Amino acid sequence: MTQEEVVGDLDQSVGYVLKQVQASLHAAMDEVLRPLGLTVAQYACLELLGQHPGLSNSDLARHAFVTRQSMNVVLRRLQERGLLTRPAHAAHGRALPTELTRAGQSTLREASVAVRAVERRIFAPLSRERQRRLREDLASCAASAVANQPVTQPREP
């Protein structure tokens, strides 16, 4: 194994430190969302619907980084709480466009305030400029990761 193949000191690994921050952010979000009766996935769903009403289950799952099956559970629980509405039948195709109710919008506002406070606390050591640069740098890395995903070839029959 060459030196380039060895990860080495984990504290020097960008991916490892990024995972530490992600885990800390998730745990802190979980803590502030729990009193609101929300999970991080449920909050993500509400936030997405607040910004993009009418998203389908598939779109929500993709943007919230969960499976469609998991998103079905998230949507069902939020709907049972009266935080969102979904038609019983799709008007076109199979997608059921989802929208927040007034209670969902209110819960989203409260959750957003709590989550923004968590983000401010975690990223407080960085100036606004460094936060902006970090956000842009991470967005570039995310775009590169998507662009460089291997394309799977369809199987021969």
Side-chain angles (χ1 to χ4, degrees):
M1 206 180 261
T2 68
Q3 185 64 24
E4 292 159 354
E5 294 172 330
V6 178
V7 172
D9 185 2
L10 288 178
D11 290 338
Q12 298 303 310
S13 167
V14 174
Y16 186 74
V17 175
L18 185 60
K19 182 61 179 172
Q20 285 178 313
V21 172
Q22 184 274 332
S24 296
L25 180 61
H26 193 281
M29 287 173 63
D30 211 24
E31 188 176 312
V32 299
L33 292 170
R34 193 174 303 117
L36 300 174
L38 295 173
T39 65
V40 174
Q42 289 171 335
Y43 163 72
C45 180
L46 293 177
E47 193 69 66
L48 287 163
L49 288 170
Q51 294 180 28
H52 307 284
L55 287 176
S56 69
N57 176 14
S58 293
D59 290 332
L60 287 166
R62 185 173 34 261
H63 294 298
F65 310 106
V66 298
T67 65
R68 287 186 311 229
Q69 295 80 3
S70 294
M71 185 52 67
N72 271 330
V73 173
V74 167
L75 290 170
R76 194 173 331 110
R77 290 197 177 130
L78 292 172
Q79 190 171 16
E80 287 167 358
R81 288 184 55 192
L83 301 180
L84 56 83
T85 60
R86 294 193 303 169
H89 303 285
H92 304 89
R94 293 175 36 194
L96 298 175
T98 307
E99 295 187 1
L100 297 179
T101 62
R102 284 182 192 228
Q105 292 168 352
S106 176
T107 300
L108 172 57
R109 278 191 295 277
E110 196 174 349
S112 290
V113 168
V115 168
R116 296 301 169 259
V118 165
E119 288 180 349
R120 279 193 303 277
R121 183 177 39 121
I122 287 178
F123 296 104
L126 303 177
S127 68
R128 284 189 189 272
E129 174 59 22
R130 287 181 66 197
Q131 288 181 40
R132 183 193 60 75
R133 253 192 1 246
L134 176 61
R135 189 174 46 255
E136 289 173 358
D137 289 346
L138 291 173
S140 293
C141 292
S144 174
V146 169
N148 292 314
Q149 284 181 343
V151 176
T152 56
Q153 299 296 320
R155 287 184 166 178
E156 294 289 323

